[in-house]
């Protein structure tokens, strides 16, 4: 796998976001960018035998051997700069916490042998972190190992990616979804008959 795969996914997603207008919902740009980066990664890896899953609303591609997975999420802090701290931009729930905890384990035991070669929650997961800053998109491929609260903020490995992309023109890190553990809060007010 090479940097061009991630650069292509980020570039195509940025192009899609450029089509948004102020008539779109406020969170559309961030949600669309997150969704499309994961889609474009999947479209490139699927022909190579990788398998796709969206269990727990975590969009992942699983390596053909089941050795690891990749997902894209928005980052905050020094994305792409190893001299600065980095964390996930948005809070994550219990499903992501289990994946991060699993990354700290050495042995992997399999139960989902048919589809993924092992239990999906036990496959090491890497995150393609992205952030728009100073008119460019910065990115890194990182392996999370710790969460404090609802944010991923400790990483075993961080691999900065040198990507050359045009500015999408918008903030692309607006509220990407969590992992389905905490649904949206909807306030409902019942109005009585007069």
């Amino acid at each position: 796998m090479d940097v061009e795969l991630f650069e292509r996914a980020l570039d195509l997603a940025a192009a899609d976001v450029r089509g948004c207008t102020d008539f779109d919902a406020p969170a559309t740009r961030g949600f669309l960018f997150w969704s499309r980066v994961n889609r474009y990664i999947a479209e490139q890896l699927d022909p190579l035998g990788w398998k796709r899953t969206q269990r727990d609303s975590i969009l992942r591609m699983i390596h053909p051997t089941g050795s690891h997975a990749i997902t894209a999420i928005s980052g905050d802090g020094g994305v792409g700069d190893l001299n600065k701290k980095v964390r996930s931009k948005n809070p994550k729930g219990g499903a992501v916490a289990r994946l991060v905890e699993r990354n700290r384990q050495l042995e992997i035991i399999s139960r989902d042998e048919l589809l993924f070669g092992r239990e999906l929650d036990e496959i090491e997961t890497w995150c393609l972190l992205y952030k728009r800053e100073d008119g460019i998109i910065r990115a890194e491929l990182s392996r999370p190992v710790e969460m404090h609260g609802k944010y991923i903020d400790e990483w075993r490995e961080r691999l900065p990616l040198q990507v050359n992309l045009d500015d999408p023109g918008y903030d692309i890190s607006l509220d990407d979804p969590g992992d389905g553990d905490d649904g949206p809060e909807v306030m409902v007010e019942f109005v009585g008959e007069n």
Side-chain angles (χ1 to χ4, degrees), residues 1 41-42 45-46 48-54 58-71 99 112 115-125:
M1 189 174 339
I41 289 171
L45 293 177
D46 182 73
L48 302 175
W50 291 60
K51 295 179 181 133
R52 180 181 161 276
T53 179
Q54 55 187 4
I58 304 169
L59 305 178
R60 287 175 279 179
M61 289 302 289
I62 311 297
H63 189 272
T65 66
S67 63
H68 61 283
I70 295 176
T71 187
L99 294 176
D112 280 343
L115 292 176
F116 305 111
R118 58 184 49 154
E119 176 62 30
L120 186 57
D121 288 344
E122 296 178 354
I123 294 174
E124 178 179 79
T125 300

PDB file of all heavy atoms in Angstrom, residues 1 41-42 45-46 48-54 58-71 99 112 115-125:
ATOM      1  N   MET A   1       0.852  -1.168   0.000  1.00  0.00           N
ATOM      2  CA  MET A   1       0.000   0.000   0.000  1.00  0.00           C
ATOM      3  C   MET A   1       0.900   1.235   0.000  1.00  0.00           C
ATOM      4  O   MET A   1       1.882   1.291   0.708  1.00  0.00           O
ATOM      5  CB  MET A   1      -0.867  -0.036   1.250  1.00  0.00           C
ATOM      6  CG  MET A   1      -1.925   0.999   1.251  1.00  0.00           C
ATOM      7  SD  MET A   1      -3.087   0.879   2.629  1.00  0.00           S
ATOM      8  CE  MET A   1      -2.952  -0.788   3.170  1.00  0.00           C
ATOM      9  N   ILE A  41     -11.131   4.909  -0.056  1.00  0.00           N
ATOM     10  CA  ILE A  41     -10.156   3.909   0.401  1.00  0.00           C
ATOM     11  C   ILE A  41     -10.705   2.517   0.085  1.00  0.00           C
ATOM     12  O   ILE A  41     -10.005   1.664  -0.459  1.00  0.00           O
ATOM     13  CB  ILE A  41      -9.859   4.061   1.907  1.00  0.00           C
ATOM     14  CG1 ILE A  41      -9.037   5.331   2.171  1.00  0.00           C
ATOM     15  CG2 ILE A  41      -9.119   2.832   2.445  1.00  0.00           C
ATOM     16  CD1 ILE A  41      -8.885   5.674   3.647  1.00  0.00           C
ATOM     17  N   ALA A  42     -11.982   2.300   0.411  1.00  0.00           N
ATOM     18  CA  ALA A  42     -12.610   0.994   0.178  1.00  0.00           C
ATOM     19  C   ALA A  42     -12.625   0.630  -1.299  1.00  0.00           C
ATOM     20  O   ALA A  42     -12.325  -0.516  -1.671  1.00  0.00           O
ATOM     21  CB  ALA A  42     -14.035   0.995   0.742  1.00  0.00           C
ATOM     22  N   LEU A  45      -9.165  -0.588  -2.255  1.00  0.00           N
ATOM     23  CA  LEU A  45      -8.669  -1.796  -1.605  1.00  0.00           C
ATOM     24  C   LEU A  45      -9.514  -3.031  -1.901  1.00  0.00           C
ATOM     25  O   LEU A  45      -9.013  -4.151  -1.853  1.00  0.00           O
ATOM     26  CB  LEU A  45      -8.565  -1.581  -0.088  1.00  0.00           C
ATOM     27  CG  LEU A  45      -7.515  -0.564   0.354  1.00  0.00           C
ATOM     28  CD1 LEU A  45      -7.549  -0.386   1.862  1.00  0.00           C
ATOM     29  CD2 LEU A  45      -6.124  -0.971  -0.116  1.00  0.00           C
ATOM     30  N   ASP A  46     -10.795  -2.851  -2.217  1.00  0.00           N
ATOM     31  CA  ASP A  46     -11.673  -3.978  -2.494  1.00  0.00           C
ATOM     32  C   ASP A  46     -11.150  -4.874  -3.627  1.00  0.00           C
ATOM     33  O   ASP A  46     -11.112  -6.090  -3.459  1.00  0.00           O
ATOM     34  CB  ASP A  46     -13.091  -3.478  -2.815  1.00  0.00           C
ATOM     35  CG  ASP A  46     -14.051  -4.606  -3.067  1.00  0.00           C
ATOM     36  OD1 ASP A  46     -14.425  -5.293  -2.093  1.00  0.00           O
ATOM     37  OD2 ASP A  46     -14.422  -4.817  -4.247  1.00  0.00           O
ATOM     38  N   LEU A  48      -8.266  -5.505  -4.351  1.00  0.00           N
ATOM     39  CA  LEU A  48      -7.048  -6.173  -3.882  1.00  0.00           C
ATOM     40  C   LEU A  48      -7.358  -7.258  -2.841  1.00  0.00           C
ATOM     41  O   LEU A  48      -6.445  -7.806  -2.227  1.00  0.00           O
ATOM     42  CB  LEU A  48      -6.085  -5.142  -3.279  1.00  0.00           C
ATOM     43  CG  LEU A  48      -5.664  -4.007  -4.226  1.00  0.00           C
ATOM     44  CD1 LEU A  48      -4.806  -2.989  -3.485  1.00  0.00           C
ATOM     45  CD2 LEU A  48      -4.945  -4.556  -5.439  1.00  0.00           C
ATOM     46  N   GLY A  49      -8.644  -7.546  -2.646  1.00  0.00           N
ATOM     47  CA  GLY A  49      -9.031  -8.611  -1.733  1.00  0.00           C
ATOM     48  C   GLY A  49      -9.363  -8.172  -0.323  1.00  0.00           C
ATOM     49  O   GLY A  49      -9.670  -9.002   0.531  1.00  0.00           O
ATOM     50  N   TRP A  50      -9.274  -6.879  -0.038  1.00  0.00           N
ATOM     51  CA  TRP A  50      -9.651  -6.383   1.279  1.00  0.00           C
ATOM     52  C   TRP A  50     -11.160  -6.513   1.429  1.00  0.00           C
ATOM     53  O   TRP A  50     -11.892  -6.447   0.449  1.00  0.00           O
ATOM     54  CB  TRP A  50      -9.237  -4.931   1.445  1.00  0.00           C
ATOM     55  CG  TRP A  50      -7.766  -4.690   1.535  1.00  0.00           C
ATOM     56  CD1 TRP A  50      -6.824  -5.000   0.599  1.00  0.00           C
ATOM     57  CD2 TRP A  50      -7.069  -4.073   2.604  1.00  0.00           C
ATOM     58  NE1 TRP A  50      -5.586  -4.607   1.026  1.00  0.00           N
ATOM     59  CE2 TRP A  50      -5.699  -4.027   2.255  1.00  0.00           C
ATOM     60  CE3 TRP A  50      -7.464  -3.537   3.822  1.00  0.00           C
ATOM     61  CZ2 TRP A  50      -4.739  -3.484   3.089  1.00  0.00           C
ATOM     62  CZ3 TRP A  50      -6.502  -2.980   4.653  1.00  0.00           C
ATOM     63  CH2 TRP A  50      -5.155  -2.964   4.281  1.00  0.00           C
ATOM     64  N   LYS A  51     -11.636  -6.653   2.657  1.00  0.00           N
ATOM     65  CA  LYS A  51     -13.061  -6.783   2.932  1.00  0.00           C
ATOM     66  C   LYS A  51     -13.554  -5.567   3.697  1.00  0.00           C
ATOM     67  O   LYS A  51     -12.857  -5.040   4.561  1.00  0.00           O
ATOM     68  CB  LYS A  51     -13.339  -8.054   3.723  1.00  0.00           C
ATOM     69  CG  LYS A  51     -13.009  -9.291   2.934  1.00  0.00           C
ATOM     70  CD  LYS A  51     -13.264 -10.543   3.738  1.00  0.00           C
ATOM     71  CE  LYS A  51     -12.893 -11.741   2.892  1.00  0.00           C
ATOM     72  NZ  LYS A  51     -12.087 -12.689   3.597  1.00  0.00           N
ATOM     73  N   ARG A  52     -14.779  -5.154   3.384  1.00  0.00           N
ATOM     74  CA  ARG A  52     -15.370  -3.966   3.982  1.00  0.00           C
ATOM     75  C   ARG A  52     -16.335  -4.359   5.095  1.00  0.00           C
ATOM     76  O   ARG A  52     -17.056  -5.341   4.987  1.00  0.00           O
ATOM     77  CB  ARG A  52     -16.122  -3.204   2.903  1.00  0.00           C
ATOM     78  CG  ARG A  52     -16.781  -1.948   3.366  1.00  0.00           C
ATOM     79  CD  ARG A  52     -17.514  -1.303   2.173  1.00  0.00           C
ATOM     80  NE  ARG A  52     -18.506  -0.380   2.620  1.00  0.00           N
ATOM     81  CZ  ARG A  52     -19.743  -0.694   2.986  1.00  0.00           C
ATOM     82  NH1 ARG A  52     -20.150  -1.927   2.963  1.00  0.00           N
ATOM     83  NH2 ARG A  52     -20.584   0.225   3.391  1.00  0.00           N
ATOM     84  N   THR A  53     -16.341  -3.565   6.161  1.00  0.00           N
ATOM     85  CA  THR A  53     -17.338  -3.715   7.212  1.00  0.00           C
ATOM     86  C   THR A  53     -17.731  -2.335   7.718  1.00  0.00           C
ATOM     87  O   THR A  53     -16.933  -1.404   7.664  1.00  0.00           O
ATOM     88  CB  THR A  53     -16.829  -4.583   8.392  1.00  0.00           C
ATOM     89  OG1 THR A  53     -17.864  -4.660   9.377  1.00  0.00           O
ATOM     90  CG2 THR A  53     -15.580  -4.006   9.026  1.00  0.00           C
ATOM     91  N   GLN A  54     -18.954  -2.248   8.172  1.00  0.00           N
ATOM     92  CA  GLN A  54     -19.422  -1.014   8.811  1.00  0.00           C
ATOM     93  C   GLN A  54     -20.058  -1.318  10.162  1.00  0.00           C
ATOM     94  O   GLN A  54     -20.856  -0.550  10.669  1.00  0.00           O
ATOM     95  CB  GLN A  54     -20.384  -0.264   7.901  1.00  0.00           C
ATOM     96  CG  GLN A  54     -21.569  -1.063   7.436  1.00  0.00           C
ATOM     97  CD  GLN A  54     -22.375  -0.299   6.411  1.00  0.00           C
ATOM     98  OE1 GLN A  54     -22.031   0.804   5.982  1.00  0.00           O
ATOM     99  NE2 GLN A  54     -23.481  -0.876   5.999  1.00  0.00           N
ATOM    100  N   ILE A  58     -18.506   1.909  12.249  1.00  0.00           N
ATOM    101  CA  ILE A  58     -17.095   2.192  12.020  1.00  0.00           C
ATOM    102  C   ILE A  58     -16.776   1.642  10.633  1.00  0.00           C
ATOM    103  O   ILE A  58     -16.820   0.435  10.420  1.00  0.00           O
ATOM    104  CB  ILE A  58     -16.195   1.525  13.078  1.00  0.00           C
ATOM    105  CG1 ILE A  58     -16.604   1.961  14.485  1.00  0.00           C
ATOM    106  CG2 ILE A  58     -14.719   1.864  12.808  1.00  0.00           C
ATOM    107  CD1 ILE A  58     -15.952   1.143  15.590  1.00  0.00           C
ATOM    108  N   LEU A  59     -16.500   2.524   9.690  1.00  0.00           N
ATOM    109  CA  LEU A  59     -16.222   2.107   8.321  1.00  0.00           C
ATOM    110  C   LEU A  59     -14.779   1.626   8.251  1.00  0.00           C
ATOM    111  O   LEU A  59     -13.853   2.406   8.437  1.00  0.00           O
ATOM    112  CB  LEU A  59     -16.440   3.285   7.356  1.00  0.00           C
ATOM    113  CG  LEU A  59     -17.815   3.942   7.442  1.00  0.00           C
ATOM    114  CD1 LEU A  59     -17.892   5.114   6.480  1.00  0.00           C
ATOM    115  CD2 LEU A  59     -18.925   2.946   7.175  1.00  0.00           C
ATOM    116  N   ARG A  60     -14.585   0.324   8.001  1.00  0.00           N
ATOM    117  CA  ARG A  60     -13.238  -0.247   7.999  1.00  0.00           C
ATOM    118  C   ARG A  60     -13.040  -1.142   6.797  1.00  0.00           C
ATOM    119  O   ARG A  60     -13.963  -1.790   6.316  1.00  0.00           O
ATOM    120  CB  ARG A  60     -13.010  -1.111   9.252  1.00  0.00           C
ATOM    121  CG  ARG A  60     -12.837  -0.327  10.513  1.00  0.00           C
ATOM    122  CD  ARG A  60     -12.741  -1.244  11.702  1.00  0.00           C
ATOM    123  NE  ARG A  60     -14.098  -1.644  12.080  1.00  0.00           N
ATOM    124  CZ  ARG A  60     -14.370  -2.457  13.080  1.00  0.00           C
ATOM    125  NH1 ARG A  60     -13.411  -2.986  13.785  1.00  0.00           N
ATOM    126  NH2 ARG A  60     -15.617  -2.767  13.378  1.00  0.00           N
ATOM    127  N   MET A  61     -11.798  -1.197   6.359  1.00  0.00           N
ATOM    128  CA  MET A  61     -11.371  -2.167   5.368  1.00  0.00           C
ATOM    129  C   MET A  61     -10.420  -3.123   6.067  1.00  0.00           C
ATOM    130  O   MET A  61      -9.468  -2.698   6.723  1.00  0.00           O
ATOM    131  CB  MET A  61     -10.684  -1.487   4.176  1.00  0.00           C
ATOM    132  CG  MET A  61     -11.630  -0.697   3.290  1.00  0.00           C
ATOM    133  SD  MET A  61     -12.985  -1.678   2.588  1.00  0.00           S
ATOM    134  CE  MET A  61     -12.113  -2.695   1.398  1.00  0.00           C
ATOM    135  N   ILE A  62     -10.692  -4.438   5.911  1.00  0.00           N
ATOM    136  CA  ILE A  62      -9.932  -5.483   6.584  1.00  0.00           C
ATOM    137  C   ILE A  62      -8.963  -6.110   5.589  1.00  0.00           C
ATOM    138  O   ILE A  62      -9.367  -6.536   4.502  1.00  0.00           O
ATOM    139  CB  ILE A  62     -10.865  -6.586   7.137  1.00  0.00           C
ATOM    140  CG1 ILE A  62     -12.033  -5.981   7.937  1.00  0.00           C
ATOM    141  CG2 ILE A  62     -10.088  -7.610   7.955  1.00  0.00           C
ATOM    142  CD1 ILE A  62     -11.661  -5.211   9.155  1.00  0.00           C
ATOM    143  N   HIS A  63      -7.698  -6.172   5.946  1.00  0.00           N
ATOM    144  CA  HIS A  63      -6.668  -6.776   5.094  1.00  0.00           C
ATOM    145  C   HIS A  63      -7.049  -8.218   4.767  1.00  0.00           C
ATOM    146  O   HIS A  63      -7.654  -8.899   5.594  1.00  0.00           O
ATOM    147  CB  HIS A  63      -5.319  -6.737   5.821  1.00  0.00           C
ATOM    148  CG  HIS A  63      -4.175  -7.136   4.966  1.00  0.00           C
ATOM    149  ND1 HIS A  63      -3.775  -8.449   4.834  1.00  0.00           N
ATOM    150  CD2 HIS A  63      -3.350  -6.399   4.181  1.00  0.00           C
ATOM    151  CE1 HIS A  63      -2.749  -8.512   4.013  1.00  0.00           C
ATOM    152  NE2 HIS A  63      -2.470  -7.278   3.605  1.00  0.00           N
ATOM    153  N   PRO A  64      -6.707  -8.709   3.563  1.00  0.00           N
ATOM    154  CA  PRO A  64      -7.069 -10.079   3.178  1.00  0.00           C
ATOM    155  C   PRO A  64      -6.616 -11.149   4.173  1.00  0.00           C
ATOM    156  O   PRO A  64      -7.281 -12.175   4.319  1.00  0.00           O
ATOM    157  CB  PRO A  64      -6.377 -10.266   1.824  1.00  0.00           C
ATOM    158  CG  PRO A  64      -6.210  -8.898   1.277  1.00  0.00           C
ATOM    159  CD  PRO A  64      -6.039  -7.993   2.472  1.00  0.00           C
ATOM    160  N   THR A  65      -5.524 -10.931   4.885  1.00  0.00           N
ATOM    161  CA  THR A  65      -5.063 -11.913   5.869  1.00  0.00           C
ATOM    162  C   THR A  65      -5.737 -11.735   7.225  1.00  0.00           C
ATOM    163  O   THR A  65      -5.537 -12.560   8.118  1.00  0.00           O
ATOM    164  CB  THR A  65      -3.537 -11.800   6.081  1.00  0.00           C
ATOM    165  OG1 THR A  65      -3.257 -10.514   6.685  1.00  0.00           O
ATOM    166  CG2 THR A  65      -2.777 -11.963   4.779  1.00  0.00           C
ATOM    167  N   GLY A  66      -6.501 -10.650   7.394  1.00  0.00           N
ATOM    168  CA  GLY A  66      -7.119 -10.360   8.684  1.00  0.00           C
ATOM    169  C   GLY A  66      -6.152  -9.770   9.685  1.00  0.00           C
ATOM    170  O   GLY A  66      -6.472  -9.634  10.852  1.00  0.00           O
ATOM    171  N   SER A  67      -4.971  -9.377   9.234  1.00  0.00           N
ATOM    172  CA  SER A  67      -3.943  -8.877  10.149  1.00  0.00           C
ATOM    173  C   SER A  67      -4.224  -7.478  10.677  1.00  0.00           C
ATOM    174  O   SER A  67      -3.816  -7.147  11.786  1.00  0.00           O
ATOM    175  CB  SER A  67      -2.575  -8.890   9.463  1.00  0.00           C
ATOM    176  OG  SER A  67      -2.577  -8.009   8.345  1.00  0.00           O
ATOM    177  N   HIS A  68      -4.902  -6.645   9.888  1.00  0.00           N
ATOM    178  CA  HIS A  68      -5.156  -5.284  10.327  1.00  0.00           C
ATOM    179  C   HIS A  68      -6.292  -4.670   9.513  1.00  0.00           C
ATOM    180  O   HIS A  68      -6.707  -5.231   8.502  1.00  0.00           O
ATOM    181  CB  HIS A  68      -3.896  -4.419  10.246  1.00  0.00           C
ATOM    182  CG  HIS A  68      -3.337  -4.295   8.866  1.00  0.00           C
ATOM    183  ND1 HIS A  68      -2.614  -5.296   8.262  1.00  0.00           N
ATOM    184  CD2 HIS A  68      -3.397  -3.285   7.964  1.00  0.00           C
ATOM    185  CE1 HIS A  68      -2.240  -4.909   7.049  1.00  0.00           C
ATOM    186  NE2 HIS A  68      -2.710  -3.702   6.845  1.00  0.00           N
ATOM    187  N   ALA A  69      -6.754  -3.526  10.000  1.00  0.00           N
ATOM    188  CA  ALA A  69      -7.840  -2.798   9.344  1.00  0.00           C
ATOM    189  C   ALA A  69      -7.461  -1.333   9.244  1.00  0.00           C
ATOM    190  O   ALA A  69      -6.577  -0.861   9.960  1.00  0.00           O
ATOM    191  CB  ALA A  69      -9.127  -2.952  10.147  1.00  0.00           C
ATOM    192  N   ILE A  70      -8.163  -0.613   8.361  1.00  0.00           N
ATOM    193  CA  ILE A  70      -7.935   0.830   8.198  1.00  0.00           C
ATOM    194  C   ILE A  70      -9.284   1.535   8.212  1.00  0.00           C
ATOM    195  O   ILE A  70     -10.242   1.080   7.599  1.00  0.00           O
ATOM    196  CB  ILE A  70      -7.207   1.134   6.875  1.00  0.00           C
ATOM    197  CG1 ILE A  70      -5.803   0.543   6.891  1.00  0.00           C
ATOM    198  CG2 ILE A  70      -7.158   2.643   6.619  1.00  0.00           C
ATOM    199  CD1 ILE A  70      -5.046   0.712   5.595  1.00  0.00           C
ATOM    200  N   THR A  71      -9.347   2.649   8.932  1.00  0.00           N
ATOM    201  CA  THR A  71     -10.502   3.531   8.910  1.00  0.00           C
ATOM    202  C   THR A  71      -9.994   4.965   8.880  1.00  0.00           C
ATOM    203  O   THR A  71      -8.867   5.233   9.317  1.00  0.00           O
ATOM    204  CB  THR A  71     -11.424   3.311  10.135  1.00  0.00           C
ATOM    205  OG1 THR A  71     -12.611   4.095   9.972  1.00  0.00           O
ATOM    206  CG2 THR A  71     -10.736   3.687  11.438  1.00  0.00           C
ATOM    207  N   LEU A  99     -11.758  -1.342  20.235  1.00  0.00           N
ATOM    208  CA  LEU A  99     -10.750  -1.509  19.182  1.00  0.00           C
ATOM    209  C   LEU A  99      -9.393  -0.984  19.632  1.00  0.00           C
ATOM    210  O   LEU A  99      -8.359  -1.605  19.399  1.00  0.00           O
ATOM    211  CB  LEU A  99     -11.171  -0.781  17.903  1.00  0.00           C
ATOM    212  CG  LEU A  99     -12.396  -1.310  17.178  1.00  0.00           C
ATOM    213  CD1 LEU A  99     -12.717  -0.421  15.993  1.00  0.00           C
ATOM    214  CD2 LEU A  99     -12.182  -2.735  16.732  1.00  0.00           C
ATOM    215  N   ASP A 112     -14.469 -14.811  13.881  1.00  0.00           N
ATOM    216  CA  ASP A 112     -15.119 -14.504  12.603  1.00  0.00           C
ATOM    217  C   ASP A 112     -14.289 -15.046  11.442  1.00  0.00           C
ATOM    218  O   ASP A 112     -14.054 -14.358  10.453  1.00  0.00           O
ATOM    219  CB  ASP A 112     -15.295 -12.988  12.430  1.00  0.00           C
ATOM    220  CG  ASP A 112     -16.487 -12.452  13.193  1.00  0.00           C
ATOM    221  OD1 ASP A 112     -17.343 -13.269  13.585  1.00  0.00           O
ATOM    222  OD2 ASP A 112     -16.573 -11.240  13.375  1.00  0.00           O
ATOM    223  N   LEU A 115     -15.555 -14.675   7.474  1.00  0.00           N
ATOM    224  CA  LEU A 115     -15.525 -13.406   6.754  1.00  0.00           C
ATOM    225  C   LEU A 115     -14.196 -12.681   6.822  1.00  0.00           C
ATOM    226  O   LEU A 115     -13.741 -12.119   5.823  1.00  0.00           O
ATOM    227  CB  LEU A 115     -16.625 -12.473   7.279  1.00  0.00           C
ATOM    228  CG  LEU A 115     -18.049 -12.897   6.969  1.00  0.00           C
ATOM    229  CD1 LEU A 115     -19.032 -11.942   7.629  1.00  0.00           C
ATOM    230  CD2 LEU A 115     -18.271 -12.924   5.477  1.00  0.00           C
ATOM    231  N   PHE A 116     -13.608 -12.638   8.011  1.00  0.00           N
ATOM    232  CA  PHE A 116     -12.456 -11.770   8.215  1.00  0.00           C
ATOM    233  C   PHE A 116     -11.205 -12.499   8.685  1.00  0.00           C
ATOM    234  O   PHE A 116     -10.177 -11.878   8.903  1.00  0.00           O
ATOM    235  CB  PHE A 116     -12.800 -10.665   9.222  1.00  0.00           C
ATOM    236  CG  PHE A 116     -14.020  -9.878   8.832  1.00  0.00           C
ATOM    237  CD1 PHE A 116     -15.178  -9.973   9.554  1.00  0.00           C
ATOM    238  CD2 PHE A 116     -13.998  -9.055   7.715  1.00  0.00           C
ATOM    239  CE1 PHE A 116     -16.308  -9.256   9.194  1.00  0.00           C
ATOM    240  CE2 PHE A 116     -15.113  -8.340   7.339  1.00  0.00           C
ATOM    241  CZ  PHE A 116     -16.275  -8.436   8.076  1.00  0.00           C
ATOM    242  N   GLY A 117     -11.298 -13.788   8.892  1.00  0.00           N
ATOM    243  CA  GLY A 117     -10.134 -14.537   9.333  1.00  0.00           C
ATOM    244  C   GLY A 117      -9.935 -14.504  10.835  1.00  0.00           C
ATOM    245  O   GLY A 117      -9.091 -15.211  11.355  1.00  0.00           O
ATOM    246  N   ARG A 118     -10.698 -13.700  11.534  1.00  0.00           N
ATOM    247  CA  ARG A 118     -10.666 -13.618  12.999  1.00  0.00           C
ATOM    248  C   ARG A 118     -11.798 -12.725  13.467  1.00  0.00           C
ATOM    249  O   ARG A 118     -12.473 -12.101  12.666  1.00  0.00           O
ATOM    250  CB  ARG A 118      -9.333 -13.107  13.508  1.00  0.00           C
ATOM    251  CG  ARG A 118      -8.921 -11.748  12.993  1.00  0.00           C
ATOM    252  CD  ARG A 118      -7.554 -11.366  13.468  1.00  0.00           C
ATOM    253  NE  ARG A 118      -6.698 -12.490  13.212  1.00  0.00           N
ATOM    254  CZ  ARG A 118      -5.406 -12.456  13.019  1.00  0.00           C
ATOM    255  NH1 ARG A 118      -4.782 -11.325  13.072  1.00  0.00           N
ATOM    256  NH2 ARG A 118      -4.704 -13.533  12.785  1.00  0.00           N
ATOM    257  N   GLU A 119     -11.985 -12.644  14.783  1.00  0.00           N
ATOM    258  CA  GLU A 119     -13.030 -11.797  15.348  1.00  0.00           C
ATOM    259  C   GLU A 119     -12.769 -10.353  14.947  1.00  0.00           C
ATOM    260  O   GLU A 119     -11.673  -9.822  15.137  1.00  0.00           O
ATOM    261  CB  GLU A 119     -13.039 -11.936  16.874  1.00  0.00           C
ATOM    262  CG  GLU A 119     -14.024 -11.044  17.583  1.00  0.00           C
ATOM    263  CD  GLU A 119     -15.466 -11.315  17.221  1.00  0.00           C
ATOM    264  OE1 GLU A 119     -15.810 -12.470  16.901  1.00  0.00           O
ATOM    265  OE2 GLU A 119     -16.241 -10.351  17.249  1.00  0.00           O
ATOM    266  N   LEU A 120     -13.774  -9.706  14.389  1.00  0.00           N
ATOM    267  CA  LEU A 120     -13.619  -8.348  13.869  1.00  0.00           C
ATOM    268  C   LEU A 120     -13.116  -7.374  14.929  1.00  0.00           C
ATOM    269  O   LEU A 120     -12.257  -6.545  14.661  1.00  0.00           O
ATOM    270  CB  LEU A 120     -14.946  -7.862  13.286  1.00  0.00           C
ATOM    271  CG  LEU A 120     -14.942  -6.523  12.576  1.00  0.00           C
ATOM    272  CD1 LEU A 120     -13.927  -6.512  11.436  1.00  0.00           C
ATOM    273  CD2 LEU A 120     -16.322  -6.199  12.050  1.00  0.00           C
ATOM    274  N   ASP A 121     -13.642  -7.474  16.149  1.00  0.00           N
ATOM    275  CA  ASP A 121     -13.214  -6.557  17.214  1.00  0.00           C
ATOM    276  C   ASP A 121     -11.769  -6.781  17.639  1.00  0.00           C
ATOM    277  O   ASP A 121     -11.212  -5.978  18.371  1.00  0.00           O
ATOM    278  CB  ASP A 121     -14.119  -6.692  18.438  1.00  0.00           C
ATOM    279  CG  ASP A 121     -15.495  -6.108  18.197  1.00  0.00           C
ATOM    280  OD1 ASP A 121     -15.652  -5.347  17.225  1.00  0.00           O
ATOM    281  OD2 ASP A 121     -16.408  -6.413  18.981  1.00  0.00           O
ATOM    282  N   GLU A 122     -11.158  -7.862  17.203  1.00  0.00           N
ATOM    283  CA  GLU A 122      -9.791  -8.168  17.614  1.00  0.00           C
ATOM    284  C   GLU A 122      -8.757  -7.866  16.539  1.00  0.00           C
ATOM    285  O   GLU A 122      -7.577  -8.123  16.715  1.00  0.00           O
ATOM    286  CB  GLU A 122      -9.706  -9.630  18.038  1.00  0.00           C
ATOM    287  CG  GLU A 122     -10.556  -9.906  19.266  1.00  0.00           C
ATOM    288  CD  GLU A 122     -10.526 -11.359  19.695  1.00  0.00           C
ATOM    289  OE1 GLU A 122      -9.929 -12.196  18.988  1.00  0.00           O
ATOM    290  OE2 GLU A 122     -11.088 -11.648  20.750  1.00  0.00           O
ATOM    291  N   ILE A 123      -9.193  -7.313  15.421  1.00  0.00           N
ATOM    292  CA  ILE A 123      -8.266  -6.980  14.343  1.00  0.00           C
ATOM    293  C   ILE A 123      -7.659  -5.607  14.627  1.00  0.00           C
ATOM    294  O   ILE A 123      -8.372  -4.644  14.910  1.00  0.00           O
ATOM    295  CB  ILE A 123      -8.988  -6.988  12.982  1.00  0.00           C
ATOM    296  CG1 ILE A 123      -9.447  -8.410  12.647  1.00  0.00           C
ATOM    297  CG2 ILE A 123      -8.089  -6.436  11.881  1.00  0.00           C
ATOM    298  CD1 ILE A 123     -10.296  -8.516  11.406  1.00  0.00           C
ATOM    299  N   GLU A 124      -6.364  -5.541  14.568  1.00  0.00           N
ATOM    300  CA  GLU A 124      -5.667  -4.275  14.779  1.00  0.00           C
ATOM    301  C   GLU A 124      -6.187  -3.237  13.786  1.00  0.00           C
ATOM    302  O   GLU A 124      -6.267  -3.502  12.600  1.00  0.00           O
ATOM    303  CB  GLU A 124      -4.176  -4.499  14.573  1.00  0.00           C
ATOM    304  CG  GLU A 124      -3.351  -3.260  14.722  1.00  0.00           C
ATOM    305  CD  GLU A 124      -1.891  -3.574  14.530  1.00  0.00           C
ATOM    306  OE1 GLU A 124      -1.470  -3.712  13.373  1.00  0.00           O
ATOM    307  OE2 GLU A 124      -1.197  -3.692  15.542  1.00  0.00           O
ATOM    308  N   THR A 125      -6.545  -2.063  14.280  1.00  0.00           N
ATOM    309  CA  THR A 125      -7.119  -1.022  13.444  1.00  0.00           C
ATOM    310  C   THR A 125      -6.206   0.193  13.387  1.00  0.00           C
ATOM    311  O   THR A 125      -5.783   0.700  14.424  1.00  0.00           O
ATOM    312  CB  THR A 125      -8.515  -0.611  13.974  1.00  0.00           C
ATOM    313  OG1 THR A 125      -9.369  -1.751  13.947  1.00  0.00           O
ATOM    314  CG2 THR A 125      -9.114   0.494  13.124  1.00  0.00           C
TER     315      THR A 125
END
